[in-house]
């Protein structure tokens, strides 16, 4: 097929025809707890505008979560990958949490759900208002029967005067939580409004505040999800966590080495890139479970160029590539997103994503993926 290169020139690409070798099923994952942060599927037939709440296709959205559970992965629901704050509002996220948690109970899947403060409108908010918003969402998640992930809050980043405000607010939330939660540190590359989270733009200072919060309430912290795209910093943080507190890597650039770990420990995973990579990720972790580290790397290392491409700057638009790959893989019937975000990446970027995914044998039906990619190229005016 004819595809546009990143410099705008056209070139020929011959699809590999290589089909996904990994299959659903197999023993439960044993050595690592692996969450895939899942995207939502919208209904493109509904008449909505980018600044309105999306019309969610609930059947397709829940079917994709069943796909993740069938692979053996856990689902991280209503997170950044589901377009929280970038198309999905709190009423939509609330319904998503409730529906997905009910589906998890029905099929025996593991799920954790994001609790944040995105019901607060634009503008300044007091710390009391931020705390109340967190408490409302924490209550919704716990009532659904899911584990809570305390997401980083734009409103808190704007309202906090320093580290002490984070310590006090998170301490209050942890005391109220009925079950241990996952704390989420999302870097500004994913959301620029989170710059200076934990009270400082200096990451060393922020890390100390983060660790202080955990140390005061280790029994209320299941783990921490770190999305800073800095493997060395994650390892250093991981080694300082209290016993029993997991580190879930959110590093979509260095996940193979962080999950494999070293003689002093390893990271579990909570990753947006495992939405498209679910079958390969599950098979790789099963290799680790049986001591086959080389097989683990053989499966996951070749996916890193695709992940780095999907998450290239502006990193927050990685969701576009995730949904593209879901469409090409046959998990949904269209390439449309909440807020019209399918337009957030260029055609050359999308074409390169297809090429990299094809090269690692990601598509269950390579012919379907090729046909759909050709149709997208045609819509953009690239003759086939």
């Amino acid at each position: 097929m004819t595809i546009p290169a990143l410099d705008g020139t056209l070139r020929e690409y011959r699809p590999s025809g290589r089909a996904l070798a990994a299959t659903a099923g197999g023993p439960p994952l044993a050595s690592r707890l692996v969450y895939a942060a899942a995207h939502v599927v919208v209904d493109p037939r509904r008449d909505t505008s980018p600044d309105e709440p999306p019309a969610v296709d609930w059947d397709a959205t829940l079917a994709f979560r069943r796909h993740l559970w069938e692979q053996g992965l856990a689902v991280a629901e209503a997170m950044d990958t589901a377009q929280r704050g970038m198309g999905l509002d709190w009423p939509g996220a609330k319904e998503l949490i409730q529906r997905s948690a009910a589906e998890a109970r029905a099929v025996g899947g593991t799920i954790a759900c994001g609790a944040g403060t995105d019901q607060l409108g634009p503008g300044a908010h007091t710390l009391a208002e931020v705390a109340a918003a967190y408490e409302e969402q924490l209550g919704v998640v716990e009532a659904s029967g899911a584990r809570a992930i305390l997401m980083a809050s734009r409103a808190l980043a704007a309202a906090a005067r320093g580290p002490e405000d984070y310590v006090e607010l998170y301490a209050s939330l942890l005391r109220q939580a009925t079950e241990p939660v996952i704390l989420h540190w999302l870097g500004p590359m994913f959301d620029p409004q989170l710059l200076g989270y934990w009270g400082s733009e200096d990451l060393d200072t922020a890390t100390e505040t983060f660790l202080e919060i955990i140390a005061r309430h280790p029994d209320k912290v299941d783990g921490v999800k770190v999305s800073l795209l800095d493997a060395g910093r994650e390892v250093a943080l991981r080694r300082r966590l209290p016993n029993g507190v997991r580190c879930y890597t959110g590093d979509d650039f260095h996940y193979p080495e962080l999950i494999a770990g070293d003689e002093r420990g390893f990271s579990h995973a909570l990753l947006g890139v495992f939405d498209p990579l679910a079958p390969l990720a599950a098979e790789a972790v099963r290799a680790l479970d049986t001591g086959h580290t080389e097989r683990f790397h053989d499966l996951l290392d070749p996916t890193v160029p695709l992940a780095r491409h999907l998450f290239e700057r502006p990193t927050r638009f990685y969701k576009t590539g995730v949904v593209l790959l879901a469409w090409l893989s046959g998990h949904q019937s269209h390439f449309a997103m909440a807020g019209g975000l399918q337009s957030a990446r260029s055609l050359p970027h999308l074409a390169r994503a297809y090429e990299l995914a094809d090269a690692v044998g990601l598509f269950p039906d390579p012919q379907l993926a090729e046909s759909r990619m050709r149709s997208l190229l045609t819509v953009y005016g690239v003759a086939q």
Side-chain angles (χ1 to χ4, degrees), residues 189-242:
M189 67 287 293
F190 289 93
D191 187 341
Q193 294 184 57
L194 298 177
L195 181 67
Y197 211 72
W198 308 116
S200 177
E201 294 185 23
D202 178 77
L203 291 180
D204 291 335
T205 302
T207 297
E208 296 305 317
T209 302
F210 188 49
L211 287 168
E212 178 183 350
I213 292 168
I214 299 164
R216 290 188 179 191
H217 304 276
D219 58 320
K220 287 297 188 75
V221 181
D222 167 82
V224 299
K225 193 259 189 180
V226 186
S227 298
L228 298 176
L229 303 183
D230 185 331
R233 185 171 294 278
E234 179 176 321
V235 170
L237 172 64
R238 184 175 78 197
R239 291 173 177 171
R240 296 180 63 190
L241 292 174

Side-chain angles (χ1 to χ4, degrees), residues 297-319:
H297 284 291
D298 287 345
L299 286 163
L300 274 197
D301 288 359
T303 69
V304 171
L306 170 62
R308 287 178 173 265
H309 178 71
L310 295 178
F311 284 78
E312 71 180 13
R313 294 182 179 180
T315 304
R316 63 188 182 278
F317 294 128
Y318 74 87
K319 298 96 165 171

Side-chain angles (χ1 to χ4, degrees), residues 44-127:
R45 300 166 298 181
R46 299 281 294 278
D47 184 19
T48 60
S49 67
D51 57 355
E52 294 177 332
V56 177
D57 182 336
W58 293 112
D59 289 342
T61 294
L62 294 177
F64 188 76
R65 278 127 185 89
R66 290 193 296 273
H67 155 71
L68 295 175
W69 287 317
E70 287 167 359
Q71 303 301 323
L73 303 187
V75 168
E77 187 57 277
M79 300 292 291
D80 183 58
T81 308
Q83 295 184 243
R84 288 290 289 272
M86 291 184 68
L88 187 70
D89 60 5
W90 167 237
K94 179 179 179 180
E95 185 171 1
L96 179 63
I97 289 166
Q98 293 168 334
R99 285 177 177 264
S100 293
E103 192 72 15
R105 290 194 300 273
V107 303
T110 299
I111 190 169
C113 300
T117 64
D118 48 329
Q119 71 270 54
L120 298 175
H125 300 280
T126 66
L127 288 171

